[in-house]
Amino acid sequence: MPAPAPGYVVLLPVKPPARGKSRLVGIEPHERADLARSFALDTAESCLAATRVSAVLVITDDAHFAADVARLGAAVIPDGVSGDLNETLVQGAREARRRWPRLRPAALCGDLPALRSADLDTALAASEGAGARYVEDAAGGGTTLYTAPHDLFRPAFGPGSAAAHLAGGARPLEGDLHSLRHDVDTLEDLEAVRRFGLGPRTALASVRVGSLG
């Protein structure tokens, strides 16, 4: 029988929750931090449950969050280039290659609180083979997932990232992939993804926020 195909290592960069999600306006700072932490933990847990994901490497400078996500089973490293997301991901990919040389890196947004493991598996299965692939976000123009072999791994997250990834030679992944396309930056975004089913921590955190209860 042929050997099984190598899996993926998901690179999950996470800002310290106290500083993340600044566009979640109209709520208290501790509520915003609670939501940001919950988004990232639910995203990590969905990644860990995906059959094509062999490892999750979280890159964060928050020691408390690092301990929380490590308890889920993710590996954690500090962010050596805080402030530059793409360099953070390149750093993470280098460390991932050192630890798991047969695994292909996949950079993922940490604010996908309704992510379904099945959608992630579908995207990763379609990404197998040569070349870089990416998933455009539901709003259009952004990127939620980018994956490439190590020698082609050149993430270009930021404004206009979908066009930047396309210009860099990556191909878009088609299909619904609804829960993978909906990242959450605002309270309106959070309401929009409820229909996909929020992760357990995000569901509890949103109830604790009075305006969402």
Side-chain angles (χ1 to χ4, degrees):
M1 294 180 62
Y8 289 81
V9 50
V10 171
L11 309 176
L12 203 65
V14 179
K15 286 183 180 179
R19 293 196 285 108
K21 293 294 141 194
S22 59
R23 291 170 61 191
L24 291 173
V25 297
I27 58 178
E28 295 297 322
H30 72 275
E31 294 173 324
R32 184 169 61 248
D34 190 20
L35 283 171
R37 172 186 171 277
S38 298
F39 292 173
L41 288 173
D42 284 337
T43 302
E45 189 166 61
S46 291
C47 292
L48 288 162
T51 59
R52 293 182 181 272
V53 174
S54 299
V56 173
L57 182 62
V58 175
I59 310 161
T60 186
D61 281 334
D62 188 291
H64 294 293
F65 177 79
D68 288 340
V69 78
R71 280 191 286 271
L72 294 179
V76 187
I77 59 171
D79 187 350
V81 284
S82 181
D84 188 330
L85 174 57
N86 292 308
E87 283 303 310
T88 290
L89 290 168
V90 169
Q91 171 206 26
R94 290 195 191 105
E95 178 60 16
R97 191 173 199 176
R98 186 186 71 81
R99 296 189 187 199
W100 308 285
R102 284 178 52 80
L103 299 184
R104 174 171 166 151
L108 186 71
C109 292
D111 55 359
L112 297 164
L115 177 63
R116 295 179 179 176
S117 301
D119 281 348
L120 181 57
D121 276 329
T122 297
L124 295 179
S127 300
E128 291 177 356
R133 308 298 296 273
Y134 69 94
V135 172
E136 186 170 2
D137 64 14
T143 302
T144 58
L145 172 73
Y146 169 81
T147 181
H150 281 286
D151 59 345
L152 298 176
F153 190 79
R154 300 180 188 90
F157 286 87
S161 61
H165 284 133
L166 184 63
R171 291 189 296 151
L173 288 165
E174 307 297 341
D176 292 333
L177 304 174
H178 290 304
S179 71
L180 183 55
R181 295 188 187 277
H182 284 266
D183 53 332
V184 173
D185 289 315
T186 67
L187 295 182
E188 291 75 18
D189 293 338
L190 183 56
E191 286 300 314
V193 300
R194 283 184 183 275
R195 67 185 184 275
F196 304 127
L198 295 174
R201 297 166 193 81
T202 301
L204 286 174
S206 67
V207 169
R208 290 193 290 264
V209 177
S211 63
L212 295 179

